Amino acid sequence: MLLQILCEDTILCFVCIQELFSARVCDIMNESDSVKRLRLEVPHPDFSFRAGQWVDFFIPGVDTVGGYSICSSPGLLQREGVIELAVKYTRHPPAHWIHTKCSVDSQVAVRVGGNFYFDPQPSDPVVDLLLIAGGVGINPLYSILLHAADLLRHTHGHRCAPGHTHLCYSAKNTEELLFKNTIIDICHERPDKLSCNFHVTQQSSVIEQELQPYTINGRISEEELKRHVDPEHTLCYLCGPPPMIEKVNSDLQKAGLSEDRILFEKWW
């Protein structure tokens, strides 16, 4: 059976229906003025996901099903039995419920879906990852970045770990850059293997001093992409608004990256 999810807060893709799991909201944090991060405890031992996937989000009493990318790593689920979602405020019923009615101990249900993920196997060739995010399209790519960092910490040179991972993340301004401090901390942990650039397109205030070394005014350019593309080794994951996807996809192919090495999901 196939499900197509079509709403402003979800990724557009076709997925096989998976099992539904009960979950409990165990923490709620303000990630920004318009984004709440939910931490969900999913106790069932069979629950799992791959970095980059999303969940259908079922709320008791709300007929509309939400769809949100998981923004935590599979390792966090293994260690603590939880996943995290970052949800931007809209009038869409699930997002509105999360921002106005959800509380700690709220009971919900989730179902994993999506074919956009990074799950390297020991037999796979080592790749360099290029992660390109626009707006809240950062969510699945942040999960992949965290997973790459986990693999580097725990594989000790095992072939599952990527060679180098670079994140290009674009938002209107630095206030809307989600997870920015953790992203910088991760890159400091392994600067030989992890790096990032933030792009701001409508910045009206002075950029915070700690962000200045990483922040570029303007959109992600074709020239910058070329610096991070090795046609033989780069695998690119791309998530953001459709116009951005189309432009960056074209620029990557101009830089020599073949179409089969560019994986993307569109949201709106």
Side-chain angles (χ1 to χ4, degrees):
M1 182 177 180
L2 293 177
L3 172 71
Q4 184 180 19
I5 296 181
L6 292 168
C7 79
E8 62 184 323
D9 299 301
T10 63
I11 303 302
L12 167 64
C13 56
F14 294 87
V15 296
C16 293
I17 298 299
Q18 302 293 333
E19 185 176 354
L20 197 63
F21 293 91
S22 297
R24 180 183 70 89
V25 177
C26 56
D27 199 4
I28 306 172
M29 299 156 278
N30 291 319
E31 190 63 37
S32 74
D33 289 343
S34 62
V35 175
K36 286 190 180 291
R37 180 162 23 159
L38 297 187
R39 177 168 280 213
L40 303 177
E41 180 185 49
V42 190
H44 199 290
D46 292 340
F47 180 81
S48 66
F49 74 98
R50 294 162 171 161
Q53 288 189 300
W54 49 268
V55 291
D56 293 331
F57 189 81
F58 296 83
I59 304 162
V62 177
D63 292 337
T64 307
V65 178
Y68 305 109
S69 294
I70 300 168
C71 64
S72 53
S73 70
L76 181 67
L77 177 64
Q78 294 169 4
R79 294 187 296 269
E80 300 183 27
V82 300
I83 62 171
E84 294 185 345
L85 310 176
V87 180
K88 189 169 184 175
Y89 176 80
T90 71
R91 296 295 298 179
H92 188 252
H96 189 260
W97 179 86
I98 287 168
H99 278 261
T100 62
K101 296 183 179 179
C102 182
S103 62
V104 172
D105 290 332
S106 288
Q107 298 293 320
V108 296
V110 293
R111 180 170 59 201
V112 174
N115 295 316
F116 179 84
Y117 57 78
F118 178 61
D119 184 31
Q121 302 301 308
S123 59
D124 293 341
V126 175
V127 296
D128 294 331
L129 294 180
L130 176 57
L131 310 177
I132 305 175
V136 294
I138 185 61
N139 286 337
L141 303 186
Y142 183 59
S143 175
I144 292 173
L145 178 67
L146 292 172
H147 188 46
D150 276 346
L151 290 174
L152 288 168
R153 293 183 190 110
H154 302 300
T155 55
H156 304 292
H158 197 283
R159 288 178 62 85
C160 278
H164 188 276
T165 300
H166 181 75
L167 171 67
C168 291
Y169 177 14
S170 177
K172 289 181 180 179
N173 53 60
T174 55
E175 291 297 314
E176 295 194 12
L177 289 168
L178 307 181
F179 320 120
K180 52 185 176 286
N181 294 326
T182 305
I183 290 170
I184 290 172
D185 289 343
I186 289 170
C187 292
H188 282 170
E189 184 180 333
R190 287 296 302 269
D192 58 325
K193 294 289 187 179
L194 302 163
S195 58
C196 67
N197 283 122
F198 302 132
H199 288 255
V200 290
T201 58
Q202 299 178 31
Q203 184 78 18
S204 58
S205 59
V206 176
I207 295 172
E208 300 96 307
Q209 185 173 359
E210 61 272 19
L211 297 181
Q212 289 179 7
Y214 307 94
T215 306
I216 300 169
N217 274 293
R219 301 183 186 279
I220 299 168
S221 68
E222 183 179 346
E223 291 71 26
E224 180 179 356
L225 294 174
K226 285 180 179 178
R227 291 196 294 271
H228 298 287
V229 166
D230 179 339
E232 298 298 321
H233 298 103
T234 300
L235 181 63
C236 178
Y237 288 82
L238 176 56
C239 189
M244 174 192 171
I245 297 289
E246 292 162 10
K247 176 64 165 62
V248 172
N249 184 28
S250 174
D251 288 345
L252 288 168
Q253 292 187 53
K254 290 177 185 176
L257 200 59
S258 61
E259 192 173 359
D260 65 320
R261 299 184 75 87
I262 306 170
L263 309 176
F264 59 83
E265 287 188 325
K266 299 178 183 180
W267 59 267
W268 64 90

